[in-house]
């Protein structure tokens, strides 16, 4: 993402990184890594969001969403993931293409449209990349999951979901990993090298940075 990341993208990121936990404090570095922006950009934006009453910033500890900030994030996440689902399941778009177009449409979709779209799609619970879709009442309690990087060497894992990031979604499509696929962590290459995964027939390599944003079933 570029330095021109919107306020709502920051709110969405804080909610996603918190796993829906209102008390979980998210650091500036976590947000910067997730959005691929500089820490100074994060500090500047959080100051604006705090002034607007949408976040609470505790110096040296992190940031949490206020109730207005959480509602804004949930509304945008709900809209985005339903539009993604429509693109992937009804239009035949790749997950990355569906995500890209949802980014351009989700801010302008009103509640009537989003609710009608949810009904048309038969009330899906998860987005095409495995993330929970808030319902019409903005209920949102995602499962607590580990990241791929947290898996142990030799452990066999099933991929549950990918975080909402265009570059990551394009990356997993390029290396050929899909939701629901099962892999064994064969090894980690030295000097912070990639994870080597095998399914018994094929081997692939996943960078450790990408592994921070790929979630596995517990």
């Amino acid at each position: 993402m570029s330095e021109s990341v919107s306020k709502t993208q920051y709110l969405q990121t804080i909610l996603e990184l918190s796993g829906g936990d209102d008390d979980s404090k998210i650091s500036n570095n976590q947000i910067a890594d997730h959005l691929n922006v500089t820490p100074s950009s994060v500090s500047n934006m959080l100051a604006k969001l705090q002034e607007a009453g949408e976040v609470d910033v505790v110096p040296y500890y992190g940031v949490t969403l206020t109730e207005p900030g959480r509602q804004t994030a949930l509304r945008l996440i709900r809209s985005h993931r339903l539009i993604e689902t429509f693109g992937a399941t009804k239009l035949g778009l790749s997950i990355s293409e569906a995500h890209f177009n949802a980014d351009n449409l989700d801010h302008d979709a009103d509640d009537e449209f989003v609710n009608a779209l949810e009904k048309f799609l038969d009330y899906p619970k998860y987005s095409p990349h495995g993330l929970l879709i808030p319902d019409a009442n903005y209920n949102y309690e995602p499962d607590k999951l580990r990241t791929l990087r947290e898996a142990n060497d030799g452990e066999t894992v099933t991929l549950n979901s990918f975080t909402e990031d265009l570059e990551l979604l394009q990356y997993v499509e390029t290396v050929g990993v899909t939701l629901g696929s099962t892999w064994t962590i064969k090894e980690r290459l030295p000097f912070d090298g990639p994870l080597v995964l095998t399914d018994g027939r094929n081997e692939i390599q996943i960078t450790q940075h990408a592994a921070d944003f790929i979630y596995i079933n517990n």
Side-chain angles (χ1 to χ4, degrees):
M1 295 183 182
S2 70
E3 294 292 328
S4 59
V5 176
S6 70
K7 291 182 178 181
T8 50
Q9 284 173 298
Y10 273 87
L11 296 174
Q12 286 174 268
T13 294
I14 295 166
L15 181 62
E16 183 177 338
L17 290 174
S18 73
D21 181 357
D22 294 341
D23 298 321
S24 180
K25 292 180 174 60
I26 307 304
S27 71
N28 287 24
N29 285 338
Q30 285 178 280
I31 298 170
D33 286 345
H34 191 87
L35 292 175
N36 194 26
V37 297
T38 63
S40 62
S41 294
V42 175
S43 296
N44 291 337
M45 180 59 79
L46 291 183
K48 294 176 183 178
L49 291 171
Q50 185 168 35
E51 184 177 350
E54 294 185 301
V55 301
D56 284 325
V57 179
V58 181
Y60 308 110
Y61 286 93
V63 59
T64 58
L65 294 174
T66 63
E67 186 56 30
R70 179 180 172 84
Q71 289 302 308
T72 297
L74 285 170
R75 186 168 59 252
L76 266 295
I77 286 176
R78 172 174 161 78
S79 173
H80 179 95
R81 293 179 184 171
L82 285 169
I83 294 171
E84 271 183 333
T85 303
F86 175 75
T89 64
K90 301 301 181 181
L91 302 182
L93 301 179
S94 68
I95 295 177
S96 62
E97 290 173 325
H99 171 79
F100 173 78
N101 283 281
D103 263 348
N104 293 313
L105 297 170
D106 54 12
H107 289 66
D108 296 323
D110 63 18
D111 288 345
E112 184 177 4
F113 172 85
V114 171
N115 292 340
L117 182 58
E118 180 184 43
K119 181 179 179 180
F120 174 75
L121 294 170
D122 197 23
Y123 303 95
K125 287 192 66 177
Y126 296 95
S127 75
H129 44 90
L131 297 179
L132 184 66
I133 300 172
D135 66 19
N137 295 317
Y138 301 120
N139 294 309
Y140 183 71
E141 295 182 8
D143 296 329
K144 303 297 182 183
L145 301 170
R146 289 183 296 155
T147 67
L148 180 59
R149 193 203 277 253
E150 293 173 310
N152 299 313
D153 288 358
E155 183 178 356
T156 298
V157 302
T158 300
L159 305 188
N160 176 280
S161 50
F162 308 130
T163 198
E164 250 166 4
D165 180 87
L166 179 60
E167 290 184 4
L168 176 75
L169 296 176
Q170 291 171 332
Y171 175 80
V172 295
E173 288 169 357
T174 299
V175 298
V177 294
T178 57
L179 294 185
S181 60
T182 298
W183 300 87
T184 298
I185 316 300
K186 183 177 179 181
E187 62 179 324
R188 296 163 203 259
L189 297 182
F191 295 103
D192 204 29
L195 282 69
V196 180
L197 311 183
T198 179
D199 64 359
R201 298 182 304 275
N202 305 301
E203 285 189 5
I204 60 172
Q205 295 185 4
I206 301 290
T207 67
Q208 295 209 39
H209 181 65
D212 282 331
F213 302 105
I214 298 173
Y215 300 99
I216 59 176
N217 291 333
N218 289 321

